[in-house]
Amino acid sequence: MHKDEFHLKFFMCVVQSRQLVRTPQRTAGEASTSSMLIPKPPPKTDILKSLDTMDDPDTVGSIPVFKTEWIMTHEEHHAAKTLGIGKAIAVLTSGGDAQGMNAAVRAVVRVGIFTGARVFFVHEGYQGLVDGGDHIKEATWESVSMMLQLGGTVIGSARCKDFREREGRLRAAYNLVKRGITNLCVIGGDGSLTGADTFRSEWSDLLSDLQKAGKITDEEATKSSYLNIVGLVGSIDNDFCGTDMTIGTDSALHRIMEIVDAITTTAQSHQRTFVLEVMGRHCGYLALVTSLSCGADWVFIPECPPDDDWEEHLCRRLSETRTRGSRLNIIIVAEGAIDKNGKPITSEDIKNLVVKRLGYDTRVTVLGHVQRGGTPSAFDRILGSRMGVEAVMALLEGTPDTPACVVSLSGNQAVRLPLMECVQVTKDVTKAMDEKKFDEALKLRGRSFMNNWEVYKLLAHVRPPVSKSGSHTVAVMNVGAPAAGMNAAVRSTVRIGLIQGNRVLVVHDGFEGLAKGQIEEAGWSYVGGWTGQGGSKLGTKRTLPKKSFEQISANITKFNIQGLVIIGGFEAYTGGLELMEGRKQFDELCIPFVVIPATVSNNVPGSDFSVGADTALNTICTTCDRIKQSAAGTKRRVFIIETMGGYCGYLATMAGLAAGADAAYIFEEPFTIRDLQANVEHLVQKMKTTVKRGLVLRNEKCNENYTTDFIFNLYSEEGKGIFDSRKNVLGHMQQGGSPTPFDRNFATKMGAKAMNWMSGKIKESYRNGRIFANTPDSGCVLGMRKRALVFQPVAELKDQTDFEHRIPKEQWWLKLRPILKILAKYEIDLDTSDHAHLEHITRKRSGEAAV
């Protein structure tokens, strides 16, 4: 096949089963060969059943997507660096600003330049496109430096009336043609993206009019014969159908949770009820996830209005919460909340109701635009960077027949979808709500949204039964090092267990506590307020069970434990393996157990993500931001930062990508003294530019000889007279702090899923008047694979595990490493490529199956 026929690209974060485990030794400057890649309750049984419905890994919301993989031949792997020669790309941000837009702009600029293209900023959105002049400026590599950690959009955004008129679009076309720009990357919401598609569809007619008016030459018209459009969705509301997360949503949740946590302390002091209004005029995602992340008593969202008698249910719920000993109530309201008749439900309405009927001291807090501000989270920085890379490749591969597309996120995968199909589904949600077809609106939001809603209803609206007759006894424990989010997982597990009518025990200090009998029964209020607390309230130790099988077996019998939920890291996984082996000697160990991965290292086999890793990543990013700020002030300074993770390089790699590091040394990608020399030379060249600072991350066990001190001394010696070096070991601060919204929500859903599985497995294992579980699938790891929560037998994961180094043999994030090097301006070649074709979407209506 001829070279020109290839749709060439170097980054697609597709998680495939063929990922590399360890990369071979290579010369300085070479890249990894692993490629690169971020109401009234229904019947309880219906809700529990719904938790069994796992997210389809090949579905974006309600939109099926189909992925393909393309391996490039050796002759083509250099072509990515020449793909953009002779082409020009413009990037603009439009509509409401969102944290993470700057990361996307930065990636578009740097990857565009990497491919040989010219890249232009369009300042002030579509208004700048219409006005032209100095609003359209060519970007340089240095012009996007120090953008990653900034909120908003540094190139400006404005709502433009002129562009809505054809005359305005004619002026915009003229400004692009005169600069030779035929590729446009638009970062904004559905309105901005719809405007871009209209612009593209009119392009030929606009050029014809400009020719007739003598404003452009025939040659200019020929060179600009078609316009490529690629959209990136930037919206804090997460209201765009076709992507799991929009740029800015995670950061907005960070702002909201910071305020909720602060309000919680004052509410407890005065026994108050707080009504918090968050953004979301047509989408309740922020309100819904906030309610799960803080354990709110009630949430009002536009997609799921409460029943007609919601006032009585709300007051009863608040009263019951106080009766159980709680000193506060939290109610979350989306700004677009309505009742079933379409009448708005406002914060003031709710406050007046609570005061009138219950007499509680009630306050209203409207968060407003604070949700749009502040530093972007690590997730949004990585998401923006990944989407920006894919947008450039989509633009440069475009042909006159390629429709305008939007780059979306499906699990860990970047996918391209027809822009207007996504816009249409998004509009269909609003239409369904306007027509009071709320069940259809909920389904159109996608399965992830629906699962959030089901877990919320289960935790907030279903009363635990008074009688526990015929119940089972399940124990919950933490194992390994502490990780933020562990407490949220325990809370969810305990409360779901109680709702199911089970007796739930908590075990202190891991397997050691199980052996010593440090076990007590937990009620509903026992785990109250745990969602937002870091560390491990139960206590956790790294002790494994094998040496204490006899004592553990005795306590399992003594406390009549019939199932075990183990929340922890690699020790939890290996402890599960030991329990499986111990079943041969001790029948008491023949009970179902499930492991919920929770560790900052993100090294548990069977799961792409672990509870606690996101919090640690954000902690590292915050520290790196401050260090970069210090380095920017002093000039000519390089910082070497050591991160945790054991032998797993997840934190170093992802933090490097999120913080804009120059290098990240990890165990999975072996490096030599030549690589270190190349990095030093790279920094020497960097000091000659306007960006006179450097940031290098090192995983704590990346190399036993090239230690942090060694690298610091090497950089100090080789950089003499050019730059100074400093080192920081972040240490256990990475395990502390309040969990991020992602970790709270993830842990809550994992706990609910695990306990639901446990109840079914116990019933399945009931034989001859007792529980006897000795099949491989009775001991599982609950993990996220792509975008599905799946139960995998621990025994089957043994072949996927490097036990010596305590890491999985296959790790999806290794494909992201080359993007870090490209954005840091390294000259690298890529040998493989995961290719994404443009895919089509099929709307899933009520009662229809996805095609």
Side-chain angles (χ1 to χ4, degrees):
M1 183 176 288
H2 192 271
K3 230 190 280 188
D4 292 340
E5 293 177 48
F6 272 82
H7 295 295
L8 225 50
K9 76 180 188 51
F10 58 86
F11 163 67
M12 260 301 292
C13 186
V14 180
V15 184
Q16 300 285 358
S17 60
R18 65 169 181 78
Q19 292 152 333
L20 301 180
V21 183
R22 297 286 306 278
T23 55
Q25 298 284 349
R26 54 192 155 284
T27 59
E30 281 188 281
S32 163
T33 58
S34 57
S35 188
M36 60 185 71
L37 237 160
I38 42 215
K40 184 177 181 180
K44 178 175 66 176
T45 53
D46 290 347
I47 302 179
L48 295 176
K49 185 178 180 181
S50 71
L51 290 177
D52 280 330
T53 306
M54 292 184 292
D55 288 350
D56 184 350
D58 291 335
T59 299
V60 181
S62 60
I63 302 168
V65 295
F66 308 93
K67 288 149 302 269
T68 57
E69 178 183 316
W70 198 330
I71 301 177
M72 293 164 56
T73 63
H74 183 73
E75 289 76 15
E76 274 103 19
H77 80 277
H78 294 284
K81 292 188 291 184
T82 59
L83 190 61
I85 292 177
K87 298 179 180 179
I89 300 170
V91 57
L92 65 86
T93 53
S94 177
D97 63 302
Q99 308 96 318
M101 281 183 166
N102 290 326
V105 171
R106 172 179 177 266
V108 169
V109 169
R110 290 194 169 178
V111 175
I113 293 173
F114 175 85
T115 63
R118 298 175 67 197
V119 185
F120 291 82
F121 291 134
V122 179
H123 294 271
E124 313 308 333
Y126 284 120
Q127 192 63 56
L129 203 62
V130 172
D131 294 342
D134 289 340
H135 287 95
I136 304 176
K137 295 180 179 179
E138 186 164 0
T140 65
W141 194 276
E142 289 80 14
S143 63
V144 292
S145 181
M146 289 296 283
M147 284 177 62
L148 265 176
Q149 65 270 34
L150 300 179
T153 164
V154 298
I155 59 175
S157 178
R159 303 188 188 277
C160 178
K161 292 182 179 180
D162 292 339
F163 194 75
R164 296 177 183 175
E165 304 297 328
R166 195 175 190 281
E167 180 60 32
R169 295 192 290 274
L170 191 67
R171 290 164 58 192
Y174 171 80
N175 290 326
L176 291 181
V177 171
K178 284 299 181 180
R179 291 167 176 80
I181 299 170
T182 57
N183 300 282
L184 184 61
C185 177
V186 178
I187 307 171
D190 60 338
S192 301
L193 301 183
T194 301
D197 187 72
T198 301
F199 189 39
R200 183 185 185 279
S201 64
E202 295 180 347
W203 185 255
S204 296
D205 292 338
L206 295 173
L207 292 190
S208 178
D209 289 354
L210 290 172
Q211 279 181 283
K212 291 176 182 177
K215 292 186 177 181
I216 63 172
T217 65
D218 291 344
E219 182 181 356
E220 287 174 328
T222 301
K223 288 182 178 180
S224 303
S225 59
Y226 65 92
L227 178 68
N228 291 319
I229 296 284
V230 171
L232 303 182
V233 190
S235 168
I236 68 167
D237 294 336
N238 201 32
D239 57 355
F240 192 83
C241 294
T243 186
D244 286 353
M245 287 283 276
T246 56
I247 296 170
T249 302
D250 188 66
S251 300
L253 286 169
H254 275 251
R255 299 296 89 76
I256 295 170
M257 289 313 306
E258 288 166 7
I259 294 167
V260 171
D261 287 346
I263 282 177
T264 298
T265 57
T266 183
Q268 285 176 331
S269 301
H270 298 277
Q271 299 191 58
R272 284 178 176 150
T273 295
F274 268 87
V275 183
L276 283 86
E277 182 180 304
V278 302
M279 286 187 171
R281 190 171 305 153
H282 301 293
C283 180
Y285 183 86
L286 289 179
L288 179 55
V289 174
T290 297
S291 69
L292 280 175
S293 300
C294 72
D297 296 285
W298 201 284
V299 65
F300 293 90
I301 60 175
E303 293 90 345
C304 303
D307 289 329
D308 293 335
D309 54 350
W310 65 268
E311 294 94 339
E312 293 180 12
H313 293 155
L314 172 61
C315 292
R316 185 176 67 242
R317 166 69 181 169
L318 299 182
S319 180
E320 288 173 351
T321 303
R322 292 292 179 99
T323 303
R324 286 195 290 259
S326 176
R327 292 177 57 86
L328 79 158
N329 299 112
I330 299 292
I331 301 169
I332 308 295
V333 187
E335 62 177 329
I338 54 176
D339 63 18
K340 289 201 169 181
N341 297 314
K343 179 184 176 183
I345 299 176
T346 68
S347 304
E348 287 297 328
D349 292 338
I350 298 167
K351 173 191 172 182
N352 294 335
L353 171 69
V354 175
V355 172
K356 182 179 179 180
R357 295 203 184 182
L358 298 176
Y360 292 168
D361 185 2
T362 306
R363 306 296 170 92
V364 172
T365 299
V366 180
L367 271 60
H369 283 77
V370 69
Q371 297 161 85
R372 291 192 184 277
T375 301
S377 66
F379 181 93
D380 275 329
R381 301 185 199 192
I382 295 169
L383 176 63
S385 298
R386 291 168 60 183
M387 298 301 98
V389 171
E390 181 60 29
V392 170
M393 305 319 298
L395 286 169
L396 298 182
E397 294 165 9
T399 67
D401 299 323
T402 305
C405 75
V406 60
V407 178
S408 300
L409 179 71
S410 174
N412 290 332
Q413 305 181 16
V415 295
R416 302 177 195 173
L417 300 171
L419 190 154
M420 290 313 296
E421 291 185 24
C422 293
V423 169
Q424 186 58 52
V425 177
T426 303
K427 290 180 177 178
D428 285 348
V429 179
T430 305
K431 181 181 178 183
M433 288 191 288
D434 291 340
E435 296 175 351
K436 301 181 177 57
K437 298 177 181 178
F438 298 110
D439 288 341
E440 182 176 349
L442 187 61
K443 289 179 181 178
L444 286 169
R445 282 287 180 223
R447 236 180 235 176
S448 179
F449 191 98
M450 291 176 66
N451 284 350
N452 282 329
W453 178 247
E454 297 299 341
V455 174
Y456 156 73
K457 285 193 295 184
L458 193 56
L459 288 171
H461 291 278
V462 177
R463 300 179 185 178
V466 177
S467 172
K468 289 187 172 59
S469 58
S471 67
H472 304 297
T473 301
V474 181
V476 186
M477 61 195 297
N478 294 155
V479 175
M486 276 184 165
N487 295 324
V490 171
R491 171 187 175 272
S492 175
T493 304
V494 168
R495 290 193 170 179
I496 296 296
L498 294 174
I499 288 169
Q500 292 171 340
N502 295 320
R503 176 171 169 256
V504 184
L505 306 177
V506 291
V507 181
H508 297 274
D509 297 336
F511 287 116
E512 183 178 311
L514 186 59
K516 292 180 178 179
Q518 296 171 221
I519 303 167
E520 62 178 316
E521 186 168 353
W524 190 270
S525 300
Y526 186 93
V527 290
W530 280 29
T531 307
Q533 297 190 33
S536 169
K537 296 276 286 182
L538 294 181
T540 179
K541 292 190 176 181
R542 297 178 183 270
T543 309
L544 295 175
K546 191 172 184 177
K547 295 181 180 179
S548 307
F549 276 160
E550 192 169 331
Q551 298 94 316
I552 288 174
S553 298
N555 282 322
I556 287 175
T557 302
K558 178 181 177 181
F559 290 93
N560 191 30
I561 296 173
Q562 298 168 311
L564 193 60
V565 178
I566 308 168
I567 303 167
F570 200 85
E571 291 84 1
Y573 163 67
T574 52
L577 286 172
E578 290 188 3
L579 289 178
M580 293 292 286
E581 289 295 319
R583 289 177 174 180
K584 298 174 183 177
Q585 294 177 274
F586 300 90
D587 285 350
E588 295 85 352
L589 299 180
C590 293
I591 60 173
F593 70 84
V594 59
V595 175
I596 297 177
T599 168
V600 302
S601 301
N602 196 34
N603 64 336
V604 178
S607 188
D608 293 340
F609 296 102
S610 297
V611 173
D614 186 68
T615 304
L617 186 57
N618 277 277
T619 299
I620 298 169
C621 282
T622 300
T623 305
C624 288
D625 288 347
R626 294 173 180 175
I627 286 172
K628 284 176 68 178
Q629 194 173 48
S630 169
T634 54
K635 307 290 187 186
R636 300 184 182 278
R637 183 162 289 177
V638 175
F639 280 86
I640 295 100
I641 312 296
E642 181 183 300
T643 66
M644 295 180 89
Y647 287 98
C648 181
Y650 175 83
L651 287 179
T653 296
M654 301 303 269
L657 188 55
D662 295 282
Y665 301 120
I666 63 170
F667 170 77
E668 293 90 343
E669 189 175 277
F671 57 96
T672 67
I673 193 67
R674 292 186 296 277
D675 294 302
L676 295 175
Q677 180 184 3
N679 295 147
V680 171
E681 291 172 355
H682 170 80
L683 287 167
V684 168
Q685 294 303 314
K686 187 177 181 181
M687 296 301 159
K688 297 177 182 178
T689 69
T690 58
V691 187
K692 301 182 185 299
R693 64 183 176 280
L695 181 67
V696 176
L697 299 181
R698 178 190 177 274
N699 171 245
E700 60 182 343
K701 291 187 177 181
C702 64
N703 190 296
E704 61 181 346
N705 295 313
Y706 299 143
T707 63
T708 301
D709 287 336
F710 176 91
I711 293 174
F712 166 71
N713 291 333
L714 177 67
Y715 274 56
S716 297
E717 180 64 27
E718 296 298 319
K720 273 185 179 178
I722 303 171
F723 60 79
D724 295 329
S725 298
R726 299 288 188 274
K727 64 179 176 179
N728 288 81
V729 178
L730 301 185
H732 285 78
M733 67 179 291
Q734 297 162 82
Q735 290 181 348
S738 297
T740 59
F742 177 89
D743 277 332
R744 299 185 197 198
N745 188 31
F746 186 42
T748 298
K749 290 197 287 190
M750 292 280 273
K753 194 84 173 177
M755 185 54 85
N756 199 50
W757 175 89
M758 180 62 69
S759 293
K761 192 60 67 174
I762 289 175
K763 293 176 182 177
E764 182 184 307
S765 306
Y766 192 79
R767 302 170 190 171
N768 302 320
R770 57 167 292 199
I771 304 299
F772 188 80
N774 63 348
T775 58
D777 66 351
S778 62
C780 289
V781 170
L782 172 57
M784 177 178 277
R785 283 293 176 93
K786 296 185 180 178
R787 66 174 316 218
L789 292 179
V790 294
F791 293 91
Q792 302 149 98
V794 291
E796 292 181 7
L797 292 172
K798 289 177 68 174
D799 293 338
Q800 303 174 26
T801 307
D802 177 354
F803 285 97
E804 180 185 355
H805 301 106
R806 296 161 54 91
I807 56 175
K809 291 179 180 179
E810 297 178 355
Q811 300 183 89
W812 68 271
W813 50 266
L814 284 172
K815 290 192 171 188
L816 284 173
R817 285 192 58 79
I819 204 178
L820 189 158
K821 297 182 179 182
I822 288 172
L823 293 177
K825 208 174 183 178
Y826 281 90
E827 292 293 326
I828 67 170
D829 296 326
L830 299 164
D831 297 322
T832 63
S833 174
D834 292 317
H835 180 81
H837 294 293
L838 183 69
E839 300 152 358
H840 290 280
I841 63 177
T842 303
R843 286 172 288 162
K844 188 192 294 182
R845 297 287 190 179
S846 300
E848 292 183 0
V851 177

